[in-house]
Amino acid sequence: MSKKAFFYCLFSFLLLGGCEGQGLQPELGLNPRISQPGDDSSPSLAATGMAWIAPGSAQVRWLDFSTGFGSPLPGLNRPDAQPISVSVDSAGKRFALVRSLAGRTELLIYERNLAVLRPIGLVPAGVPAKVAISGDGRVLAVQVSRGGRWQVELLDLP
């Protein structure tokens, strides 16, 4: 099965509850490396790989589909920060991240090719909880709490 067919089948499976006639089977070499008991890290898929929050390690991980191995994310993970939500664009180059650091929650963009992490401000101020980035990496959907009310905000990125 081609990668494209695999992703269509995976999305169909997630959205519709199954793939008829495709015979989707777990990738045995891959799954043991990313799954652990109690893993609810909500992986984010890209055409080239997958990002997820590794349970128990407080780190965002990247798995390169071409090699089947993880790749480092220099400048992204900090020992004093707890990732809350992560999303990756379809090319696997731009990550959106919500993390807790020093008692505050922050929204960040990580450029994997440049190893650059930059904060994204929310106006008006709010507490981000979950994030999703568009396939082209230009739009963020952020679940934000403001004054005890939840909102979803769309932010355009340069």
Side-chain angles (χ1 to χ4, degrees):
M1 179 185 305
S2 72
K3 278 188 181 179
K4 191 172 187 178
F6 171 77
F7 286 117
Y8 285 129
C9 188
L10 178 63
F11 288 123
S12 296
F13 182 77
L14 293 173
L15 293 175
L16 303 175
C19 293
E20 292 183 9
Q22 292 291 326
L24 184 63
Q25 297 294 319
E27 185 71 42
L28 295 178
L30 193 61
N31 289 342
R33 284 188 287 238
I34 62 172
S35 64
Q36 295 179 12
D39 182 4
D40 61 353
S41 59
S42 301
S44 179
L45 295 173
T48 58
M50 178 178 69
W52 79 100
I53 299 170
S57 72
Q59 289 190 345
V60 174
R61 301 278 175 90
W62 173 252
L63 182 72
D64 187 330
F65 287 152
S66 65
T67 65
F69 294 104
S71 295
L73 298 170
L76 178 61
N77 293 305
R78 289 180 52 156
D80 58 342
Q82 174 66 48
I84 297 168
S85 177
V86 67
S87 182
V88 63
D89 70 5
S90 64
K93 294 180 180 179
R94 190 176 256 194
F95 290 56
L97 175 72
V98 174
R99 74 177 180 192
S100 175
L101 176 68
R104 60 181 167 37
T105 305
E106 54 188 12
L107 176 63
L108 306 154
I109 293 294
Y110 178 72
E111 305 283 347
R112 189 167 67 97
N113 294 347
L114 303 172
V116 172
L117 185 66
R118 62 185 168 91
I120 302 294
L122 293 171
V123 178
V127 179
K130 293 190 184 225
V131 65
I133 194 166
S134 64
D136 64 6
R138 294 179 175 233
V139 179
L140 285 182
V142 185
Q143 183 184 24
V144 182
S145 173
R146 290 189 177 104
R149 299 187 70 161
W150 289 105
Q151 301 172 332
V152 175
E153 190 165 314
L154 296 178
L155 304 172
D156 291 322
L157 298 174

